[in-house]
Amino acid sequence: MILLLGGAGYVGTALARSLVARGLEFSAPTRHELDVLDEEALQKAVRTLRPRFAINAIGFTGRPNIDGTEHERLRCLQANTVVPGILAEVFAAENIPWGHVSSGCIFDGTRPDGVPFDESDPPNFAFGDARAGWYAKTKAMAEVLLRDAPRCLIWRMRIPFDEYDHPRNYLTKLLRYPKLLEVSGSISRRGEFADAAIESLCREVPSGIYNLTNPGVISTSEVVAALRRRGILHREPVFYQSTAEFLNEMPGRVYRANCALEAKKIAAVGIPLREVHESLEEALAHWIPERQS
């Protein structure tokens, strides 16, 4: 039995799909069935289920987007920082291996030498950067809490995409947003992220942080060109002239970190993700519009 927390969310549903594909039995209690902020209730549930391993996909990214986290800071802090901290204590006490969904958005840019960040690099887009929003700070805080947690895997996802048209899908956002910001960075195909995460738990890879992004970097304009080439995007996109224009157009907007992450560590344990352009093309070849997905 596997315990999946946050199984109804955007990332959680992909993890559930991966578990089903492997024929692994799992329990995915809703927030009404299990209040994970109640440490005693959580411990009781863990002792009852005795899971082979657990997965935490609980998180808050804001509505309609990350800007919303600035207006719901307590909710964001609870979901992204407090919950992982409670889970770490309970799972350590019960000796349960587990994985936590983190974010690559705690980094911005690349190393000073232009090389992508790897798992040994400390986040550079959190409390030390005045531009960092509340979401990035809560995700970075969680990694600090979990840094020494036993039998814990921290999986970093960055800008999820796949073939399923959905408001949280990066590709859907590019289709729906009236103006786009040109950036280049790492992104994660949701299904591949989920498969790699489950596989890493099944194989009992060493504890620690793993960047689960598709190798390579890709720009907004490259993705837009692919969408147009596949006949999915029919309009001519309009781009912001600068990040400053993007931030100034609407009060309350949060600066969007953009980074390149190295994914060699997960490949080194025998669980590689596909190169980003290749994975994008496959997703677009199997695109399922929202009315069908």
Side-chain angles (χ1 to χ4, degrees), residues 53-54 91-92 95-100 119-120 143 146-155 197 200-201 203-211 265-266 269:
F53 57 75
F91 293 147
N95 195 30
I96 304 295
W98 66 295
H100 167 70
E119 292 84 352
S120 67
E143 289 204 3
L146 305 183
R147 185 179 297 153
D148 299 317
R151 309 192 75 184
C152 177
L153 302 178
I154 299 172
W155 306 306
S200 66
L201 280 169
R203 294 193 188 187
E204 299 182 355
V205 304
S207 298
I209 300 169
Y210 291 86
N211 294 334
K265 184 177 178 180
I266 191 67
V269 295

Side-chain angles (χ1 to χ4, degrees), residues 66-204:
I66 200 169
D67 296 332
T69 60
E70 297 297 320
H71 307 293
E72 296 189 77
R73 289 195 167 199
L74 180 57
R75 179 180 177 185
C76 186
L77 180 67
Q78 286 180 325
N80 296 345
T81 307
V82 177
V83 165
I86 292 173
L87 296 179
E89 291 186 359
V90 171
F91 293 147
E94 300 300 322
N95 195 30
I96 304 295
W98 66 295
H100 167 70
V101 177
S102 188
S103 171
C105 292
I106 56 178
F107 290 91
D108 190 40
T110 61
R111 290 178 176 179
D113 59 2
V115 174
F117 295 107
D118 66 24
E119 292 84 352
S120 67
D121 292 304
N124 71 336
F125 190 73
F127 289 95
D129 193 321
R131 302 170 303 167
W134 188 242
Y135 172 78
K137 291 173 180 176
T138 61
K139 297 300 283 189
M141 260 192 292
E143 289 204 3
V144 172
L145 284 175
L146 305 183
R147 185 179 297 153
D148 299 317
R151 309 192 75 184
C152 177
L153 302 178
I154 299 172
W155 306 306
R156 289 180 181 150
M157 168 183 271
R158 184 159 194 283
I159 308 185
F161 76 95
D162 63 13
E163 60 270 34
Y164 301 102
D165 194 0
H166 186 282
R168 292 279 307 278
N169 186 343
Y170 174 52
L171 305 182
T172 298
K173 292 178 181 181
L174 295 184
L175 293 174
R176 306 287 192 270
Y177 286 4
K179 294 177 71 174
L180 307 175
L181 184 63
E182 172 70 349
V183 292
S184 295
S186 298
I187 58 179
S188 300
R189 188 170 178 186
R190 185 173 59 137
E192 289 187 53
F193 170 92
D195 288 343
I198 300 300
E199 189 67 15
S200 66
L201 280 169
C202 289
R203 294 193 188 187
E204 299 182 355

Side-chain angles (χ1 to χ4, degrees), residues 22-39:
R22 284 171 166 73
L24 296 173
E25 184 181 2
F26 67 95
S27 173
T30 67
R31 68 181 69 178
H32 301 294
E33 294 170 333
L34 176 60
D35 179 6
V36 292
L37 290 169
D38 183 339
E39 188 167 341

